[in-house]
Amino acid sequence: MNTVASPSTATDTRAALRLITCGSVDDGKSTLIGRLLVDSKAVLQDHLAGVQRQGETDLALLTDGLSAEREQGITIDVAYRYFSTEARKFIIGDAPGHEQYTRNMVTAASAADAAVVLVDATKLPWQDEHLALLPQTRRHSLLLKLLRVPSVVFAVNKLDAVSDGALAFAHIRDALARFAADAGIHVAATVPVSALKGWNVVDPAASAGWCGYDGPTLLQLLEQLPTTPQDTELTFSFPVQWVEKFSSSSDTTQGRRVFWGRVATGAAKPGQRVRVMPGNQTAVIAQVLDHVRKPGLVVAGSSAGIVLDREVDVSRGDWLHADDGEDALQGQRQIRATVAWLDDEPLLPGRTYWALHGHRWVKAKVQRIVHQLDIHTLQEQDARQLDANAIGHIELLLQEPLLTQPFARSRALGALVLVDTASHKTAGAAMVL
């Protein structure tokens, strides 16, 4: 029985797919990407010649670009590569598997349309039908769910290195299915691969029905996955990234500044009444420019320049929100959020951090830790602090109100980045509940 979800008939495969590979250390993530690049003919011969070791091509070196990565044989930072097939274009990121670099994986996943979670069959007691998955496999999968990555594909790797590939794939596939069901993770497909030999990655395996699987290859699956839908159905919101002043203007029917940024939700259109946060001033959009300064309507996910009908105090970091009267969003100073803690210093109640919402910085104090999620049992448990790589629910008190929405409804309005006020290190990724 193959575990491949049927692609939606409404799937848009014209846009480039942003995907990442993740999973535990040495599961073969870099090698898999190297195999995708080589077998899809996306690597030039002189580049291939530069990643030879003892006469053989080391596929992992195609993505491990840092000298420290090459010396240690590990992935530290996220390496992005670009390739295309006849069906679509891809932007693929190689996320590190080490726990101490989880923050880099979270950064990559936050903008991904899909993720391939590698599982190394040789690291698991594959003979056991009730086997337990590695902690980092579970952690990365849970983070993908929290970050609303739409499509998750499990790729069981190195099945060529076990004595009974079919039995190993069946047991590991069942373990992944049980975990995904308990965690509420929708799995697009579970496929057996050998990244080293290239079986079932771009080309089919050497023998038909390898590991009891006769479904599409990994690349064929990726070509059918949808991109992340933009929040076009929500009301308009827009974080200001840059303010441009006209050199001169005699037109008194509109302001003399253009506010540039990316539309977060809804659509920017002339005539829309907006409210500025903070400040609560109101104005009407007089003109909307796209990324090439052409007037017109700009929807969520695209860059825009907005000119208001009058001069109001708007700076980088401010938000423009649709002013819908009683239905308008209300600023909140107290919020509950799920947090993926990324700092070596533990999160403690009473501590204050910088919170980044769009391009706006506000102080945020941790009022209390509601609970921590046990990644092994998926149970909620009491906690006095959240250590590095922990996932939990917290309550935050903001110095100034923010107009937020639950992350489950809007990635843009529901996401916060917590930054240590002293070290300025990214400390946590918070998703508003």
Side-chain angles (χ1 to χ4, degrees), residues 29 35 39 60 99 148 175 193 196 209 262 314 339 399 404 427:
K29 298 180 291 297
R35 176 60 63 188
D39 288 1
E99 285 191 31
R148 284 183 57 196
V193 300
L196 184 63
R262 179 176 295 177
V314 180
V339 64
Q399 187 178 35
T404 62

Side-chain angles (χ1 to χ4, degrees), residues 169-203:
F169 177 62
H171 286 173
I172 296 172
R173 176 196 61 200
D174 292 345
L176 290 167
R178 290 193 299 270
F179 164 68
D182 291 341
I185 300 172
H186 173 71
V187 181
T190 302
V191 297
V193 300
S194 170
L196 184 63
K197 296 184 180 295
W199 296 346
N200 224 26
V201 179
V202 173
D203 302 316

